Structure formats: C-alpha cells, structure tokens
C-alpha cells in the first residue's frame, strides 16, 4: 500500500508532463528594500503551451529544492512568462508588478504594437494570488514577499505580443512617478488645448486660410497626445480594442492635417495645379487609413507613420526649393520644419528601439506640441506682419473725405455769404422729405425744427458768427411729414475768410434718434414700474413733494393720500402662477386709472401695494365715496379662462390739514391705517387716526417684532381636525400658525407670513412649526396607542423647499420626536412644486425616504402637468375648497369625482377642504373621498383642546 501511495503522485506527474509544455527552472531576482524599481524585462522566461495548462519548474528555494507547479489559464491563453523573485531581507516587502499597455519605445514602424492589456493574471508558486490594481495605462499587480521567501510567478498573457517592459516597483516610488508624469501630461495637454483654441479664434478674427489649417493641426496633436496620455480614456470608451483604433486614427489624422497645413501655408495651388492633385490624392489616402484603423489598427498606423516621414522630408525639400526661388513665406517656415524633421528622426529611432529611455515618449509628445506652437507663431507673424505700404500718395483732403465717408455721418454746410445751407441727400431721405427741401436759407430750417429747439438753434448760429471761432455742438429735432420728430446731432466749425469774417460753417449731422429714445426709456424706467407703467415710489415721493410746494401757494388745496394693499394676493399668485398674477395687476391698474382724473397720481409702491395722491376731491364725504368706488372696482370679478377671480383690498387714508406736513410721514400714516384695516379682516377702508400710531403697527415695527416672536414664544400653533368620512373619527390635524402679538392681539398668517418670507424668517418659522407639531403628534400617538396612529400636516413654503438644508431639518425633527412613519405630512401647494419640477421631484423623493408623508395642497387651482404628478411621490391630495363649496353650477360632482378617481388610480388618499355642512360630508363620502376638514368638523384649536377631543372620541368608542 505504501508503494502504491508513493507511485500514484509520480504517475500523475508523468501524465501531466506528457500533456504539458516542457518546464525550465528560472533564476530568482533578488529584491532589495532600497531599490525603487527593478527592470524584469531581460529575465523573463517566455513559454507557450498547446493547451490551457502549463507546468513550470520553480526557482530553487532557500532549501535548494526545485519544485514543479502546474498553472491553468483563466482566459484560455497559451502564452506565458515566468520569473522568480527572492526576498533576502528581514522585512516583508510590498511591490507592484507593472506591465504598460503601450510604449512608443520599440513599438515598431511598419506593424507597430499599439498596445492592449498584456497580462490576464499572475499565479505565484506560493502565497496569495497578486491583486490587480486599477490603472488605465498598465497592468498593475500588488505582491507581498515574506522575509527570506523565493516565489516563482507565472503570468498568463492575453496576446502573443510580449510586454514591452515589466518593472517591479516600490509602491510609493511608482506613485511618485505616476504623479510626476501626470503633472507633466496636464501641462502639455493644457498648452496644446490653449494653442488650438487660440488658433481657432484667430481664424475668426483674421479669416486667413492658414489659421484653420494650423488650428486643425493643433487639434489633431491635442487628440493624439490625449490618447497617448490616457486623457480621452476618462471621457470616451477606450475599452478592449478601442484605444488601438484611436491611436491609429490619431496618427493618420496627424499626418493629414500636417499635409493640409503645408498646402495651405505655401499656397501650393498657385504654383502648379499638379500640387493640388497630389495633395488631394494624399489626403484621400490618409482619410482611408482612418477607416482602415477600424479593421486593422496596426497596418493603418504603420502606413500613417511612413506617410508622416515622407511628409516631413518631402515638405522640407519643397520649402527649401521655394525659398531659393524668392518665396518669402517659405523662408519663415524653414526653422520650424527643420525641427519637425529632427523630431521625426528622433521618433523613428525611438520606435525602432535605438532610444529606450523612459522619458523619451513624453518628451517626444512635448516636442510635438512645441513644434505646433512654433508653427502657430510663424502663421501669426506672416498674417499680422502687414501688407506693406499702400501704393500711391493720399492727400490730407482726400484722407479727410475718406474718413467722413467711412464714418457714415451726413454733411452740413452753411454758406454764410450766400445764406444757403447744403446737407447730404441722406438727411432728407431719413426724414422722408423731398430732395432739396432742406437746402436754402438757414431760416428755412426753423420751419422743420421742433418749436422748443428753434430759439436755441438760432442763438447757436448767431454766437458762432459773432465770436468767429469755437465749435458748434447742437442736438435738435427735425419734423417728418407725418408729424413725428427725429433727433440729430450737429457738430460744425466756422471757416474764417481773408476779411476776418465767417464765410461758412461746415460740419456733420448724425442721426441720434435711437440714442435719445434709449435715454428717454432709461429715464422713464428709472422712475416708473416696469410691469404697470405707473410711477414708482421714487417718482411718487417727488410728486408728493411737488404737491406740498403747491399747497403752500394754494391754501384751499387739501391733498389726500391713500395706500391700497390687495388682500391675500400671495395666495392668488401661488394658485394661478406669477404670470397670471402680473396680468391681474395690469387689469387692476387699468381699472383704477380709468376712474382717476388728470390731477391725481397713482403709483405702484410694492408688489401688490399702490399709492394714490388724490387732488380732484376736497370734500371728506366725496373722498370717502371715491375710496369706496376704488374698493368696489377692485372687488369686481376678473375673468380668467373659465373661472373668475375675486380680490379685495385694504385701503388706508390719510387726510391732510394745514398742520400736516406732506412728507413721507403721511405715507406712514396711510400705511398704518391700511394695516389696521388688514388686521381686522381686510376689504375695508380706514382713515388714519393718531391713536393708530401709538399701536406701532407700521411695517418696520412688525418686521423687527416678528424676528423676536419665536424666542418670545409668541407663535401659537392651532390644529384643525381632519376626519375620516367613513366613521367620522378624527384621522389627523392640520397645523396652523398664529402670532399672539402683545399689543395687536392674535394675528392670522395672512398678516405676517408674507413679511416672514420677505425678511427671510420663513425658514426659521417653518422649522419651528414643524418641530412643535412633531412633538405634539408624538404625545397624541403615545396617548392613543389602541387606535390607528393619527397624522399631522405642516405647510412648507417655497424658500424651505429650495433649501438643501430642508433634508437636514426634517431628519433633526424626526430624531427628536418618535412619530410613526408617514404620519408627519408636509403640505406643498401645486404651484410651488411646479416652479421647478425637476428640483422638486428630487427633493420630494429624498424627503419621502426619511419617512415623512407628502400632501399636495390646493389641488386643481394651479396649472400642473399630470405627467409630472406621476413623478412626485405624494401620498395624499388635498382638494381645494373652491371645488367643495356649493356653487351655482352643477358640474361640482363631476369635477370632484374625476379628481378623486385620479388620486385613487395614483395610489393616493384624498382630503377635501372646506366641508361646511353635513350634506357636504355625505356627498364627499359617496364620491369616494376618504377624509375631509372644515368648520363642519371643528375650527382650529390649541393642543389641549385637540387632546380633549381625542380623549372624548376614545371614550365614546369604548362605551
């Protein structure tokens, strides 16, 4: 039995020897700890097997024994290299085996080796298999050599092409080498790209054919070095055989662009048509190489390299020949092309293997960029050197005449002695006048001048005649046959005769109508509102000052100041969109303008706030009646598509008296009256009383007090019940914020939310409401464990949604309060998510992942796209109360049923707002609506009242 066990492995080994390639022992290379890199290329043992297995003899170990190992190919290869490494030190050594994919050195001229991944895998005789490292330009494997170990490595090759180089690198040294070359490569690519861009731009500036030819060469060089440095591999697909195709195509394009540049620069078509035929044929041949590169990159690259050599030497001979025949352009190219020939020779020696230094490849590519740079300088030197002196002599008079013609100005000449004015025919053509209309006495011009310019024009001419010197600079308007005026600028000088008197005044006319119109528009826009065209606050204050000065001279004049602010206009903007909101403001502006008289002034002071200086009415009763007319005018419905929009306004009046100073203080008085009207519900008119100022309700005071409202705990949160229509049980609450002002009492959101948004406090306010609601929801859920968890909805503003910190705020709120997943719901309006649907979709998806519910508020009032609605991860739709409340139309059930069916098809729950009566609730339930809220089920209440309501409901259910 012992003999059998001893013979079995021997028989197996003999069988393997018969079926495998012969194995030879290799000598181990000693690895020193202080050696940064070792070239293993010369010690590689290249072998080939007929099967996917190979058997090799290992290098003798420390015990002197030679072992035999069998390696199986992982990718079915039959080409192998074997080498051995010995660690004679006392330290464990980490090294990198590096086999570059491509090296210009020894790549070959005719059938060049354009490089691919060389090594599929490396198998050691002992230890773990080397780990492949990510690298786009080389096969890199990390190995670890234990102290005193001798390891034989068998590398499976992917092709029959031997690795051009195999190095054993110390990892940090290899990293330093890669970094140093990366910096150099980046500099070279940057210079090449900048050069190509500059030459391209110069073509646009100069328009010479030399620039596109030079730019094409620069772009070709940029593409070629980008491939060689692995730059394009980070942008484009360079996997498998793609890099070899790009490399071959790049060399063909480089040769083609070099030929194009030589043809364009030397302008060979002017010498002989045969040159053009040769060039075109050669270009077609090189173009076919690009197609050939797709099938056989090595052949295409070899032909391209031979073409490059021929272009370099034949081009140099042609340049020298043309230089000797007096072609100056060729002389400028001799130094640069000589350097190109030297570069081609050096590149030939490198690809042939005569030069093997590691830095020769990058150096050659840097030299190629330098040559293209010199070509660019040569082109610019020739193109911008100037075209030589202009033949002939131009007199000063002719030069002035040419300059006048080139400027496009019109001639204006007044013969003083004959009193006859001559102007260019273009002047009369611009004005639409008959030829010769403006010729004749200077007084004839007064007939077509604007009445306000006539005296100034006459005085300017008289001044020139009296002083006999100076310069006439005058802007005036000339009338056209249809009655409108055009602006012209006159610049002229007097010509003094031998008798010391002005004989003529000569100058130019320039049409400056567009400039004057632009100035007028800029002046108008600076003091007028861009949307409505009404005076802005600055012009309004100026007119108030003018009225104040007028009131000093007219004691009976008692102007009245009104401030008109639209109620809840922000909600209108949110529901119908900013564009429709602007249209509504324009409609209101036209309505108000029609009821004013010429002496009254209407201005737009802010977004939805208007100011009015009323002078046409002096009697207090008539002033009040006029204000009521304004209020009714605003209340009139505005038709929009198939719906009507109703607006109201809060109007504040400040009546002047002899003791009242018409300054900005009276505006503040009117604003105080307006805020008083808005605070008690809006849609009313209030006259300023001194007692209002004591309440400090002006805008600035509200802003400053609102900033401290949160820390003073003046913000109160009320909760309005949302009931489940099936059993009328409480399903959740909507959180509504109120401001308990210490002086003004409880203020609704319409009075301070817009201020919070304008001063940037809405984010802190929204976070506060969200946090307090989540804490209260957690208390309710712990107290009501026996039933389905209730939910709470919190409104989110646009500023919150646009902030990336919203995700962090929600995560913080949820971490503080342990609420059931999906029960804290964020409500967003339809118009809000449609302002930026792409950003909203991303933010809502991330919010949903945190475990927060999402509710689409005011559904149906905006202009959202149903395709976007499918992308938004809402779980609840809230139907706007305008669809729920009973109207005169009989289409409400149809619309409600459609909305509810749409929500259910999308997997969403439906909450109907504005359920005022029990019949509304019954109808909503019959239509399939799950939840409803409104005064029929309870008004907004504080947290304690909500808890009592939940407790009572639980007791009733238990009984």
């Amino acid at each position: 039995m012992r003999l059998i066990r001893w013979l079995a492995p021997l028989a197996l080994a003999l069988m393997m020897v018969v079926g495998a390639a012969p194995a030879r022992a290799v000598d181990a290379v000693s690895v020193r700890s202080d050696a940064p890199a070792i070239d293993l290329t010369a010690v590689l043992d290249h072998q080939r097997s007929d099967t996917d297995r190979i058997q090799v003899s290992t290098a003798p170990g420390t015990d002197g024994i030679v072992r035999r190992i069998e390696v199986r190919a992982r990718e079915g290869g039959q080409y192998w290299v074997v080498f051995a490494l010995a660690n004679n030190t006392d330290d464990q050594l980490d090294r990198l085996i590096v086999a570059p994919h491509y090296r210009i050195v020894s790549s070959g001229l005719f059938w060049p080796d354009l490089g691919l991944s060389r090594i599929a895998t490396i198998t050691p005789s002992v230890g773990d298999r080397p780990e492949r490292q990510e690298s786009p330009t080389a096969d890199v494997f990390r190995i670890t050599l234990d102290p005193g170990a001798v390891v034989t490595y068998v590398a499976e090759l992917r092709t029959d092409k031997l690795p051009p180089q195999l190095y054993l690198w110390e990892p940090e040294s290899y990293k330093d080498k890669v970094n140093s070359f990366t910096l150099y490569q980046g500099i070279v690519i940057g210079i090449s790209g900048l050069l190509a861009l500059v030459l391209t731009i110069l073509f646009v500036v100069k328009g010479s054919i030399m620039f596109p030819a030079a730019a094409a060469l620069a772009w070709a060089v940029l593409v070629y070095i980008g491939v060689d440095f692995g730059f394009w591999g980070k942008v484009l697909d360079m996997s498998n055989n793609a890099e070899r195709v790009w490399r071959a195509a790049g060399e063909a394009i480089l040769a083609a662009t070099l030929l194009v540049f030589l043809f364009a620069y030397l302008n060979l078509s002017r010498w002989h048509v045969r040159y053009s035929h040769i060039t075109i044929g050669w270009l077609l041949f090189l173009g076919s190489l690009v197609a050939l590169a797709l099938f056989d990159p090595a052949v295409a690259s070899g032909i391209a390299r031979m073409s490059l050599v021929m272009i370099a030497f034949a081009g140099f001979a042609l340049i020298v020949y043309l230089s000797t025949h007096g072609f100056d352009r060729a002389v400028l190219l001799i130094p640069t092309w000589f350097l190109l020939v030297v570069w081609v020779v050096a590149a030939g020696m490198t690809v042939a293997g005569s030069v093997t230094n590691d830095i020769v490849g990058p150096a050659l590519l840097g030299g190629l960029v330098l040559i293209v740079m010199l070509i660019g300088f040569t082109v610019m030197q020739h193109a911008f050197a100037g075209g030589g002196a202009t033949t002939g002599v131009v007199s000063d008079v002719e030069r002035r005449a040419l300059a006048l013609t080139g400027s496009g100005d019109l001639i204006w000449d007044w013969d003083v002695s004959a009193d006859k004015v001559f102007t260019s025919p273009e002047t009369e053509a611009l004005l639409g006048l008959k030829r010769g209309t403006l010729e004749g006495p200077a007084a004839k011009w007064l007939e077509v001048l604007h009445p306000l310019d006539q005296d100034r024009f006459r005085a300017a001419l008289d001044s020139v005649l009296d002083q006999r010197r100076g310069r006439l600079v005058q802007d005036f308007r000339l009338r056209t046959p249809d009655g409108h005026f055009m602006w012209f600028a006159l610049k002229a000088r007097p010509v003094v005769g031998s008798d010391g008197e002005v004989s003529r005044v000569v100058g130019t006319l320039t049409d400056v109508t567009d400039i004057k119109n632009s100035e007028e528009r800029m002046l108008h826009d600076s003091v007028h509102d861009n949307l409505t065209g009404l005076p802005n606050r600055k012009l309004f204050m100026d007119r108030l000052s003018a009225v104040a000065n007028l009131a000093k001279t007219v004691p009976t004049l008692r102007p009245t100041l009104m401030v008109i602010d639209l109620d809840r206009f922000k909600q209108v903007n949110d529901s119908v969109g900013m564009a429709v909101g602007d249209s509504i403001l324009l409609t209101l502006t036209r309505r108000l303008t029609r009821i004013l008289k010429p002496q009254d002034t209407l201005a737009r002071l802010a977004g939805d706030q208007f100011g009015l200086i009323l002078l046409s009415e002096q009697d207090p009763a008539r002033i009040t009646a006029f204000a009521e007319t304004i209020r009714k005018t605003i209340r009139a419905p505005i038709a929009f598509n198939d719906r009507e929009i109703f607006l109201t306004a809060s109007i504040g009046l400040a009546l002047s008296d002899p003791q009242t100073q018409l300054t900005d203080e009276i505006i503040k008085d009117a604003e105080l009256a307006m805020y008083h009207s808005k605070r008690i519900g809006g849609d009313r008119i209030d006259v300023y009383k001194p007692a209002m100022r004591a309440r400090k309700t002006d805008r600035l005071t509200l802003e400053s007090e609102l900033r401290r409202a949160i820390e003073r705990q003046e913000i109160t949160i009320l909760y309005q019940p949302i009931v489940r229509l099936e059993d009328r049980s409480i399903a959740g609450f909507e959180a509504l914020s109120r401001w308990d002002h210490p002086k003004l009492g409880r203020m609704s959101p319409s009075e301070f939310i817009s201020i919070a948004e304008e001063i940037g406090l809405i984010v802190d306010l929204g976070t506060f409401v969200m946090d307090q609601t989540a804490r209260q929801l957690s208390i309710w859920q712990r107290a009501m464990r026996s039933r389905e968890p209730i939910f709470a909805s919190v409104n989110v503003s646009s500023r919150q949604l646009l902030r990336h910190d919203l995700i962090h705020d929600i995560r913080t709120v949820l971490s503080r309060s342990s609420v059931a997943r999906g029960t804290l719901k964020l409500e967003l309006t339809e118009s809000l998510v449609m302002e930026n649907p792409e950003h909203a979709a991303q933010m809502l998806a991330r919010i949903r992942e945190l475990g927060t519910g999402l509710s689409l508020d005011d559904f149906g009032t905006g202009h959202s796209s149903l395709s976007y609605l499918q992308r938004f991860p809402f779980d609840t739709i809230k139907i706007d109360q305008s669809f729920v409340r009973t109207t005169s139309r009989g289409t409400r059930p149809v619309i409600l049923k459609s909305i509810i069916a749409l929500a259910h098809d999308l997997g969403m729950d439906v909450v109907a707002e504005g359920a005022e009566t029990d019949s509304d609730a019954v109808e909503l339930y019959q239509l399939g609506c799950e939840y409803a809220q409104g005064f029929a089920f309870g008004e907004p209440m504080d947290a304690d009242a909500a808890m009592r309501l939940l407790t009572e409901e639980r007791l009733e259910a238990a009984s």
Side-chain angles (χ1 to χ4, degrees):
M1 291 296 293
R2 290 181 180 177
L3 181 61
I4 294 174
R5 284 197 301 270
W6 183 81
L7 290 176
L10 180 61
L12 179 60
L14 290 174
M15 292 172 64
M16 294 171 63
V17 169
V18 173
R24 301 183 295 276
V26 294
D27 295 327
V29 177
S30 177
V31 181
R32 304 191 312 273
S33 60
D34 58 345
I38 300 175
D39 190 357
L40 302 177
T41 309
V43 301
L44 297 179
D45 182 14
H46 303 280
Q47 298 190 26
R48 183 180 184 278
S49 63
D50 295 331
T51 65
D52 62 344
R53 300 173 184 266
I54 188 173
Q55 201 175 68
V56 299
S57 297
T58 64
T62 54
D63 54 3
I65 299 175
V66 176
R67 295 174 175 81
R68 304 183 72 183
I69 59 174
E70 181 182 88
V71 179
R72 183 174 182 177
R74 286 197 170 190
E75 297 184 4
Q78 297 179 348
Y79 300 93
W80 315 79
V81 292
V82 183
F83 59 95
L85 303 176
N87 181 6
N88 297 324
T89 67
D90 297 328
D91 300 322
Q92 187 181 64
L93 300 179
D94 290 331
R95 290 295 184 266
L96 297 177
I97 299 174
V98 180
H101 294 169
Y102 172 79
R103 291 187 73 218
I104 190 173
V105 176
S106 302
S107 60
L109 180 61
F110 295 102
W111 284 272
D113 177 14
L114 299 180
L116 281 173
S117 177
R118 308 292 183 163
I119 300 177
T121 183
I122 298 179
T123 304
S125 58
V126 294
D128 296 331
R129 188 183 299 274
E131 180 182 358
R132 179 183 287 273
Q133 307 294 304
E134 291 293 332
S135 176
T137 58
D139 295 324
V140 182
F141 297 85
R142 177 180 284 273
I143 63 172
T144 301
L145 297 175
D146 295 327
V150 178
V151 183
T152 300
Y153 294 92
V154 181
E156 176 189 355
L157 302 183
R158 285 196 166 102
T159 65
D160 58 346
K161 298 288 186 181
L162 303 181
Q165 184 189 56
L166 191 67
Y167 265 94
L168 185 69
W169 280 92
E170 193 275 328
E172 291 300 321
S173 298
Y174 182 72
K175 181 179 179 181
D176 293 340
K177 175 204 171 189
V178 172
N179 290 339
S180 62
F181 274 103
T182 300
L183 176 61
Y184 170 80
Q185 293 168 357
I187 293 173
V188 172
I189 290 178
I191 294 174
S192 179
L194 182 60
L195 179 61
L197 185 61
V198 168
L199 290 175
T200 304
I201 295 174
L202 287 177
F203 164 66
V204 178
V205 175
K206 190 66 177 176
S208 174
I209 192 174
M210 291 184 292
F211 281 107
L217 177 60
W219 287 111
V221 170
L222 176 62
V223 171
Y224 181 74
I225 64 176
V227 174
D228 195 86
F229 287 164
F231 177 78
W232 303 119
K234 301 175 183 178
V235 181
L236 304 172
D237 177 23
M238 291 293 183
S239 59
N240 299 330
N241 200 39
E243 183 177 340
R244 301 178 72 241
V245 174
W246 276 91
R247 216 178 275 281
E251 293 178 356
I253 294 173
L254 179 61
T257 53
L258 192 62
L259 181 62
V260 170
F261 167 76
L262 187 66
F263 179 85
Y265 182 83
L266 297 179
N267 197 10
L268 296 181
S269 59
R270 63 175 284 191
W271 297 98
H272 200 287
V273 70
R274 187 176 301 171
Y275 289 153
S276 301
H277 295 162
I278 294 175
T279 303
I280 293 174
W282 206 334
L283 281 176
L284 292 175
F285 173 72
L286 292 174
S288 65
L289 291 183
V290 177
L292 179 61
L294 298 173
F295 303 97
D296 196 335
V299 174
S301 177
I303 298 175
R305 292 183 177 186
M306 290 301 301
S307 297
L308 187 62
V309 173
M310 294 174 62
I311 292 171
F313 284 93
F316 185 74
L318 181 61
I319 291 170
V320 172
Y321 172 80
L322 295 177
S323 300
T324 58
H325 286 72
F327 191 35
D328 294 337
R329 187 182 295 187
V331 176
L332 296 175
L333 198 59
I334 288 179
T336 302
W337 210 266
F338 176 77
L339 290 178
L340 177 63
V341 172
V342 173
W343 184 87
V344 170
V345 173
M349 296 174 63
T350 302
V351 300
S354 300
V355 181
T356 59
N357 194 287
D358 286 343
I359 66 172
V360 66
L364 282 173
L365 296 179
L368 184 59
V369 174
L370 177 61
I371 290 172
V372 176
M373 185 180 299
L374 292 176
I375 288 176
F377 288 156
T378 303
V379 170
M380 286 187 285
Q381 179 183 2
H382 173 79
F384 293 100
T390 305
T391 59
V393 178
V394 180
S395 66
D396 184 64
V397 175
E398 292 174 330
R399 187 175 292 110
R400 288 175 182 270
L402 289 174
L404 180 60
T405 303
S407 67
D409 290 341
L410 309 172
I411 299 173
W412 190 86
D413 180 19
W414 179 31
D415 187 346
V416 178
S417 58
D419 190 17
K420 183 177 181 181
V421 175
F422 170 82
T423 184
S424 300
E426 292 84 358
T427 307
E428 296 158 334
L430 286 172
L431 294 170
L433 301 176
K434 295 181 180 179
R435 181 72 180 92
T437 303
L438 297 178
E439 294 184 6
K444 192 175 182 180
W445 277 63
L446 299 178
E447 299 176 1
V448 294
L449 277 170
H450 192 281
L452 298 179
D453 299 331
Q454 293 176 3
D455 293 339
R456 188 161 47 88
F457 179 73
R458 185 187 299 109
L461 294 183
D462 293 341
S463 176
V464 171
L465 295 179
D466 292 340
Q467 297 180 8
R468 302 180 183 88
R469 60 185 176 85
R471 186 180 182 187
L472 178 61
V473 178
Q474 188 81 206
D475 290 347
F476 48 76
R477 286 159 286 185
L478 297 178
R479 187 178 60 251
T480 63
D482 58 5
H484 79 274
F485 290 87
M486 296 182 65
W487 279 94
F488 288 87
L490 172 62
K491 296 179 181 180
R493 287 184 181 276
V495 178
V496 180
S498 57
D499 57 355
E501 297 294 331
V502 176
S503 61
R504 62 192 321 124
V505 179
V506 182
T508 60
L509 273 177
T510 306
D511 180 11
V512 293
T513 304
D514 292 339
I515 298 175
K516 289 292 184 178
N517 290 339
S518 298
E519 292 176 354
E520 291 178 0
R521 282 195 299 270
M522 291 177 63
L523 179 61
H524 180 275
D525 292 344
S526 66
V527 293
H528 287 80
D529 177 56
N530 291 332
L531 174 63
T532 61
L534 295 175
N536 59 14
R537 193 180 192 94
K538 184 177 180 180
L539 182 56
F540 185 75
M541 294 301 300
D542 181 75
R543 293 190 179 178
L544 182 62
S545 177
V547 171
N549 294 330
L550 181 62
K552 295 177 181 178
T553 60
V554 183
T556 59
L557 184 63
R558 292 289 180 264
T560 301
L561 192 71
M562 296 186 188
V563 174
I564 307 164
D565 192 275
L566 301 180
D567 299 326
R568 295 176 293 280
F569 189 71
K570 181 182 180 300
Q571 286 81 348
V572 175
N573 266 339
D574 290 341
S575 62
V576 300
M578 296 294 293
V580 178
D582 290 345
S583 299
I584 292 174
L585 289 177
L586 285 172
T587 301
L588 292 178
T589 299
R590 288 193 292 268
R591 289 181 179 179
L592 294 176
T593 304
R594 283 196 294 265
I595 65 175
L596 298 180
K597 294 182 179 178
Q599 60 266 45
D600 302 328
T601 298
L602 179 67
R604 187 185 181 193
L605 304 181
D608 58 347
Q609 190 177 100
F610 297 86
L612 174 62
I613 302 175
L614 183 65
L615 297 177
S616 58
E617 302 293 347
Q618 302 293 317
D619 182 67
R622 293 182 64 85
I623 292 173
T624 305
F626 183 81
E628 181 64 25
T629 302
I630 292 178
R631 189 180 73 87
K632 292 180 179 179
T633 300
I634 296 175
R635 284 177 56 88
I638 299 174
F640 170 66
N641 290 341
D642 295 332
R643 57 187 293 190
E644 292 181 339
I645 297 176
F646 294 87
L647 292 176
T648 60
S650 299
I651 303 176
L653 274 70
L655 304 176
S656 64
D657 53 54
Q659 290 74 32
T660 303
Q661 297 293 327
L662 294 178
T663 62
D664 57 349
E665 288 299 319
I666 194 172
I667 297 181
K668 291 184 178 180
D669 293 344
E671 287 181 341
L672 287 174
M674 180 271 294
Y675 284 126
H676 179 269
S677 173
K678 186 176 289 290
R679 187 179 63 256
I680 58 179
D683 191 22
R684 55 180 285 125
I685 303 167
D686 280 285
V687 181
Y688 167 75
K689 300 178 182 62
M692 293 180 181
R693 182 168 291 278
R695 303 184 69 180
K696 296 182 179 179
T697 56
D698 59 281
R699 178 85 170 201
L700 294 178
T701 304
L702 284 175
E703 290 181 3
S704 60
E705 292 179 347
L706 182 58
R707 293 184 185 275
R708 297 189 295 271
I710 297 178
E711 52 189 64
R712 292 179 177 178
Q713 298 182 352
E714 296 175 359
I715 302 299
T716 301
I717 302 177
L718 302 182
Y719 303 92
Q720 184 174 23
I722 301 175
V723 302
R724 189 177 289 103
L725 292 176
E726 181 179 6
D727 54 6
R728 302 297 177 92
S729 62
I730 298 177
F733 295 90
E734 180 181 359
L736 304 171
S737 58
R738 298 291 187 269
W739 181 13
D740 291 330
H741 195 280
K743 296 181 179 180
L744 305 179
R746 175 160 290 181
M747 300 175 63
S748 65
S750 62
E751 297 180 81
F752 66 88
I753 289 297
S754 60
I755 300 177
E757 290 183 340
E758 292 178 11
I759 65 177
L761 193 63
I762 190 65
V763 174
D764 296 336
L765 182 61
T767 304
F768 171 77
V769 174
M770 188 191 309
D771 183 62
Q772 294 298 314
T773 303
R775 293 175 186 268
Q776 189 60 48
L777 179 61
S778 178
I779 295 174
W780 290 335
Q781 291 181 353
R782 287 196 300 270
M784 310 291 291
R785 293 182 182 275
S786 59
R787 54 164 289 172
E788 182 180 349
I790 63 174
F791 61 83
S793 301
V794 181
N795 290 284
V796 175
S797 70
S798 59
R799 287 208 178 190
Q800 288 179 278
L801 184 63
L802 294 175
R803 289 174 67 252
H804 293 288
D805 291 343
L806 178 60
I807 304 298
H808 173 73
D809 294 342
I810 296 174
R811 187 181 291 112
T812 303
V813 168
L814 294 177
S815 65
R816 292 176 182 170
S817 307
S818 56
V819 298
R821 184 177 181 85
T823 56
L824 180 62
K825 296 179 179 289
L826 302 185
E827 290 191 5
L828 299 94
T829 62
E830 194 174 7
S831 58
L832 173 59
V833 295
M834 290 308 299
E835 288 181 3
N836 190 341
E838 297 296 335
H839 174 76
Q842 296 177 6
M843 289 292 292
L844 294 181
R846 296 179 62 185
I847 292 173
R848 185 68 180 270
E849 292 173 358
L850 295 177
T852 305
L854 292 172
S855 178
L856 181 60
D857 197 11
D858 297 339
F859 180 79
T861 60
H863 302 276
S864 63
S865 169
L866 294 180
S867 61
Y868 275 111
L869 186 60
Q870 299 179 65
R871 295 178 52 190
F872 296 141
F874 289 106
D875 52 55
T876 304
I877 283 181
K878 298 192 73 173
I879 302 177
D880 187 71
Q881 59 186 1
S882 61
F883 294 98
V884 177
R885 290 177 179 172
T886 304
T887 63
S888 59
R889 301 179 182 179
T891 58
R892 186 183 71 157
V894 178
I895 297 176
L896 287 175
K897 188 173 183 180
S898 300
I899 296 176
I900 294 170
L902 171 65
H904 290 167
D905 290 342
L906 295 175
M908 302 179 187
D909 295 331
V910 180
V911 178
E913 294 183 299
E916 304 293 343
T917 62
D918 187 76
S919 60
D920 288 340
V922 172
E923 182 180 5
L924 289 170
Y925 178 69
Q926 292 174 349
L927 292 174
C929 182
E930 294 94 343
Y931 306 98
Q933 71 180 94
F935 293 131
F937 307 110
E939 298 184 358
M941 61 190 71
D942 58 22
D944 294 337
M947 176 61 81
R948 289 194 298 270
L949 189 63
L950 290 172
T951 304
E952 292 173 1
E953 182 181 276
R954 183 178 61 177
L955 294 176
E956 292 177 0
S959 62

